[in-house]
Amino acid sequence: MAAYIARRLVWVVFLLFAITLITFILFSVLPAGDPAVARAGRQPSPELIESIRHQFGLDKPKPVQFINYIGDILPFVGHNGVYFGFSYTNNAEVLPQILDRLPTTIFLTAGAVVLWLAIGIPIGVISAVKTGSWLDRLSMGVALIFISAPVYFLGLVALYLFDDKIGKFPVLPGNSAYGQAHSFPEKAEALIMPWCVLAASFAAIYARFLRGNLIDTLQEDYIRTARAKGLSERRVVFRHGVRAAITPIVTLLGLDIGILLGGAILTETVFNIPGIGRYAYNAINVSDLPVIQGTVLFGAFFIVMMSLIVDILYAFIDPRVRY
Amino acid sequence: MDTPKAPLLEVENLQVHFETDDGLVKAVDGISYSVERGQTFGIVGESGSGKSVSSLTVMGLTRSRNARISGSVRFDGKDLLGASEEDMRQVRGNDIAMIFQDPLSSLHPFYKVGKQIAEAVRSHRDVSKAQAWDRAVEMLGLVGIPEPRRRADSYPHEFSGGMRQRAMIAMALANDPKLLIADEPTTALDVTVQAQILELIEHLQDEFDTAVVVITHDLGVVAEMADDIAVMYAGRIVEKADTNTIFAAPEHPYTWGLLSSIPRLDSPRDEDLVPIAGRPPSLITLPSGCSFHPRCPYVREAHKRIDPKLEPVPGHPDHEVACLLPPETRRRLWAELQRGVKPDAARQGVMREEEAA
């Protein structure tokens, strides 16, 4: 087990390096505009641009720039104690900026995860047990709608309907409410609408996924054995059916959490929530490479770590899995 | 007791039909049999003959919503077909237990073997977890698993195929059922293990005084164990008799076919096995008349129109057969086949004799 985890961690480091390289290359080859020009303000003198370029190290060859950046993000190396470099736009250190926004993104993700599991799992189980019933048809129909509706559409519809300033039924704090909230209850209230919008499509995906899995599982021979033993139908479905059918959901859940921790870009943008996702979105808009690199690296880190955690969890969930 | 007791299991005119998009599937089409206490009853037939469906129906496990079930199933004087789901739950695993073909897929991969057995105990007995676990260990020991206390802590995938089937048997017998239904109990096992499992079932049957229904496609499996045998074809019983009669004086051409497709140690080594020609019929569009007629080497024109009834063989009230051939002809054909004559030659020989007569 320890050897397996060590092997995987080596792989994680390699993966993160590759992702950093790809992001760097993409940024270099795409016409992103000259960061030095953007930084210099209106009508800069060529000397000013040149000095900014020198300050950012942009006058060095690309490979050197890349190596410098790698040096910036390496633990214990850094850049005089600064990691991930400085933003091109406001010279702020990238790492503290990301860490500042991380709790917001975690809060948004955690609430949505709880919500979509609480909705998706019961619906999936009921639909699988009552396949073909009107309840099954209705919930799968609704699920299809929520899967098909993108967050930026659903989010705008939600704001249009429920935003307490512009909504038809002004009941919930909407756009920008999170940034203005001070206390924890206020922040939670501000996130109700984003949580629902973010959870909607995930709940739909999980319900459909679990339904399909459970329908297949309930055809298994060991379910027939459980019934032949004289177990109650409830026990057959939950202890024997759901226990097996829900296992693959752990994989899905791990990756989804990883992706969202890297920034729920659409949700954070639509609702103007100051998390990592919106930070990345703004950075992309102004070609702020250090911020883009930092947020991409953070996102990738969460995804690969979550997938590692999921694989380790499997050894505990499924006794057949051994490392 | 002096008064003759009713049989333990009495199945009468059981029909299990499934409504599908392609038509009505007559999986079981009016079968009757009874099993006495402590006895072994063998049901033999090809896949699709309805042998598994009929016993799943006895257990109340024919769950498909499109199943149409009629007839009657009485167990220990109790009607099972009309019983409520909760009553059936009490019967399953307690009065009637079942083991299945593939012990790997029949055990839950995520739970320890001991836990799965203990669960069966606890669903019918008001005992503590520790007591149920002890019972599981005791049962694992009874079915011949070494170090049962340690092995109860293992998962199914850590067992060999034979051990898994032993564990299934331990689970089935944990509540001391009156009837054990074994659905192809040895089909998925290595040949060397098959005999051990059959021996184990027989041994435990004596010890627990359990009646057993063995479902198999292999007459060899029931030869040693069964007291009576029913041969099923296309959802019906085509021949039913005690085991000796089935092997010594079978009356149905399908039974002959099954018998001659078993290799025998005493036959010459270069002799070919005689397979039954053709394939089992579709249960949606059964052949007219005798449903075996398209595959029967001795078919006559009238057999394609007349549906044979399961009737006693003259002089043998306990030997029933559903065949339209005259009894004398059947006897002569079987005598020919036993001499090693191939079915086609036997037919021609017997037909010549009949014409001469």
Side-chain angles (χ1 to χ4, degrees):
Chain A
M1 187 86 158
Y4 171 80
I5 295 173
R7 230 177 19 248
R8 285 287 301 263
L9 285 175
V10 171
W11 180 238
V12 164
V13 171
F14 171 76
L15 215 57
L16 293 178
F17 172 80
I19 287 165
T20 311
L21 178 62
I22 290 169
T23 318
F24 186 85
I25 292 172
L26 276 179
F27 188 81
S28 303
V29 297
L30 289 179
D34 191 336
V37 175
R39 183 79 182 85
R42 280 184 197 166
Q43 299 175 332
S45 66
E47 294 77 36
L48 179 59
I49 292 178
E50 210 41 56
S51 84
I52 290 172
R53 201 166 268 149
H54 182 71
Q55 183 198 339
F56 287 159
L58 292 172
D59 52 350
K60 301 208 173 72
K62 290 284 177 194
V64 176
Q65 286 184 36
F66 181 68
I67 290 166
N68 282 343
Y69 182 72
I70 292 293
D72 274 1
I73 59 178
L74 280 183
F76 310 117
V77 180
H79 185 91
N80 301 329
V82 174
Y83 297 104
F84 289 80
F86 301 86
S87 163
Y88 285 165
T89 46
N90 58 10
N91 239 357
E93 293 176 21
V94 172
L95 186 60
Q97 295 273 324
I98 291 178
L99 292 179
D100 260 6
R101 289 164 169 78
L102 188 57
T104 302
T105 296
I106 290 177
F107 194 28
L108 176 65
T109 304
V113 167
V114 170
L115 197 59
W116 88 57
L117 290 180
I119 297 169
I121 288 177
I123 289 181
V125 172
I126 293 168
S127 282
V129 174
K130 308 245 178 242
T131 317
S133 66
W134 66 266
L135 201 65
D136 174 34
R137 285 160 204 253
L138 179 73
S139 42
M140 286 307 110
V142 173
L144 194 62
I145 292 174
F146 281 124
I147 290 175
S148 317
V151 163
Y152 50 83
F153 168 74
L154 211 57
L156 292 180
V157 171
L159 286 172
Y160 173 77
L161 287 176
F162 302 118
D163 186 297
D164 57 3
K165 292 185 204 71
I166 59 161
K168 295 284 166 200
F169 314 96
V171 287
L172 287 171
N175 195 309
S176 304
Y178 187 88
Q180 293 149 14
H182 300 292
S183 66
F184 181 80
E186 268 176 26
K187 287 184 175 180
E189 197 191 1
L191 283 184
I192 290 177
M193 217 187 314
W195 277 334
C196 292
V197 168
L198 184 55
S201 66
F202 283 107
I205 291 168
Y206 280 57
R208 286 176 66 99
F209 188 68
L210 181 58
R211 174 183 180 271
N213 264 346
L214 189 52
I215 287 175
D216 289 346
T217 304
L218 290 177
Q219 307 293 324
E220 292 281 350
D221 287 349
Y222 53 77
I223 297 295
R224 188 181 56 187
T225 306
R227 291 202 172 105
K229 281 200 279 196
L231 303 186
S232 64
E233 189 59 23
R234 168 184 291 267
R235 203 176 164 89
V236 170
V237 169
F238 284 94
R239 294 298 295 268
H240 290 250
V242 174
R243 171 69 175 81
I246 213 161
T247 309
I249 286 207
V250 174
T251 311
L252 203 61
L253 184 63
L255 293 179
D256 284 339
I257 291 177
I259 290 168
L260 289 182
L261 286 179
I265 294 186
L266 293 176
T267 312
E268 289 179 13
T269 307
V270 169
F271 290 98
N272 202 12
I273 301 166
I276 294 180
R278 207 192 55 176
Y279 188 47
Y281 173 80
N282 291 340
I284 292 167
N285 273 343
V286 296
S287 305
D288 194 344
L289 178 63
V291 177
I292 296 173
Q293 282 279 30
T295 48
V296 166
L297 206 52
F298 247 75
F301 173 79
F302 282 124
I303 292 172
V304 294
M305 286 315 284
M306 284 310 292
S307 95
L308 175 59
I309 289 170
V310 163
D311 287 345
I312 293 170
L313 270 182
Y314 256 95
F316 296 97
I317 298 171
D318 187 339
R320 291 169 298 183
V321 175
R322 284 277 171 277
Y323 297 120
Chain B
M1 249 188 285
D2 289 334
T3 45
K5 276 178 112 180
L8 180 66
L9 176 69
E10 242 184 322
V11 176
E12 252 181 61
N13 197 24
L14 178 67
Q15 289 193 339
V16 185
H17 294 178
F18 297 98
E19 281 169 15
T20 68
D21 292 341
D22 300 323
L24 192 66
V25 178
K26 298 178 176 177
V28 178
D29 201 17
I31 66 167
S32 305
Y33 63 87
S34 59
V35 183
E36 306 286 337
R37 276 155 224 283
Q39 299 265 299
T40 303
F41 188 73
I43 301 179
V44 181
E46 290 164 295
S47 45
S49 62
K51 52 195 198 309
S52 292
V53 173
S54 64
S55 21
L56 285 172
T57 307
V58 169
M59 292 281 280
L61 289 177
T62 319
R63 299 183 50 84
S64 172
R65 267 186 225 114
N66 51 12
R68 302 283 168 267
I69 303 170
S70 67
S72 93
V73 174
R74 271 191 306 283
F75 177 81
D76 220 1
K78 216 164 21 181
D79 172 39
L80 293 191
L81 286 190
S84 71
E85 179 51 36
E86 177 55 26
D87 286 346
M88 279 313 293
R89 192 191 70 71
Q90 303 278 1
V91 169
R92 285 198 290 268
N94 194 24
D95 295 324
I96 310 178
M98 194 159 180
I99 59 174
F100 302 97
Q101 175 169 344
D102 182 354
L104 178 58
S105 62
S106 297
L107 287 162
H108 201 294
F110 292 173
Y111 295 117
K112 288 172 178 169
V113 172
K115 188 177 165 119
Q116 298 192 45
I117 300 173
E119 188 184 29
V121 175
R122 272 170 68 82
S123 70
H124 296 289
R125 304 269 183 280
D126 191 15
V127 294
S128 70
K129 279 192 175 159
Q131 284 169 317
W133 185 267
D134 285 343
R135 175 67 175 163
V137 172
E138 182 194 348
M139 288 309 299
L140 285 175
L142 263 176
V143 298
I145 287 178
E147 295 185 74
R149 193 157 287 279
R150 192 173 64 81
R151 298 302 287 180
D153 241 336
S154 306
Y155 289 96
H157 71 272
E158 295 165 333
F159 275 33
S160 68
M163 296 236 294
R164 281 179 211 130
Q165 195 59 297
R166 283 171 194 269
M168 281 296 290
I169 294 170
M171 186 195 295
L173 297 182
N175 287 317
D176 206 354
K178 300 189 187 83
L179 176 67
L180 172 70
I181 300 176
D183 189 352
E184 302 270 10
T186 58
T187 308
L189 303 177
D190 289 345
V191 180
T192 47
V193 181
Q194 290 186 359
Q196 294 171 14
I197 293 294
L198 293 178
E199 251 171 54
L200 174 69
I201 295 176
E202 271 195 281
H203 166 72
L204 292 173
Q205 173 179 23
D206 289 343
E207 194 164 323
F208 286 72
D209 196 28
T210 314
V212 177
V213 172
V214 184
I215 301 162
T216 179
H217 66 280
D218 181 356
L219 270 172
V221 167
V222 286
E224 295 281 324
M225 296 180 73
D227 299 296
D228 296 300
I229 291 177
V231 179
M232 281 190 76
Y233 186 78
R236 294 192 184 178
I237 293 178
V238 293
E239 182 161 15
K240 191 166 64 178
D242 64 86
T243 303
N244 285 338
T245 308
I246 287 284
F247 281 90
E251 294 269 344
H252 198 283
Y254 179 63
T255 314
W256 301 341
L258 289 178
L259 283 168
S260 52
S261 53
I262 306 176
R264 293 175 63 118
L265 283 176
D266 58 353
S267 57
R269 292 191 65 171
D270 55 350
E271 196 184 71
D272 293 333
L273 294 175
V274 187
I276 304 172
R279 309 207 303 139
S282 151
L283 295 173
I284 295 174
T285 47
L286 280 174
S288 60
C290 173
S291 46
F292 187 57
H293 88 250
R295 302 173 72 187
C296 183
Y298 322 106
V299 62
R300 290 166 189 191
E301 214 36 52
H303 301 177
K304 297 174 183 173
R305 296 189 309 274
I306 309 166
D307 199 359
K309 297 258 173 309
L310 188 66
E311 282 167 339
V313 174
H316 302 274
D318 289 334
H319 185 182
E320 292 177 290
V321 65
C323 181
L324 295 163
L325 287 167
E328 318 79 61
T329 311
R330 293 201 298 253
R331 224 146 288 160
R332 248 181 268 137
L333 281 168
W334 172 242
E336 291 284 298
L337 290 172
Q338 281 209 297
R339 290 197 294 116
V341 179
K342 292 276 175 279
D344 283 339
R347 179 190 62 216
Q348 276 158 16
V350 170
M351 273 168 67
R352 257 198 306 280
E353 271 181 56
E354 279 182 359
E355 277 162 24

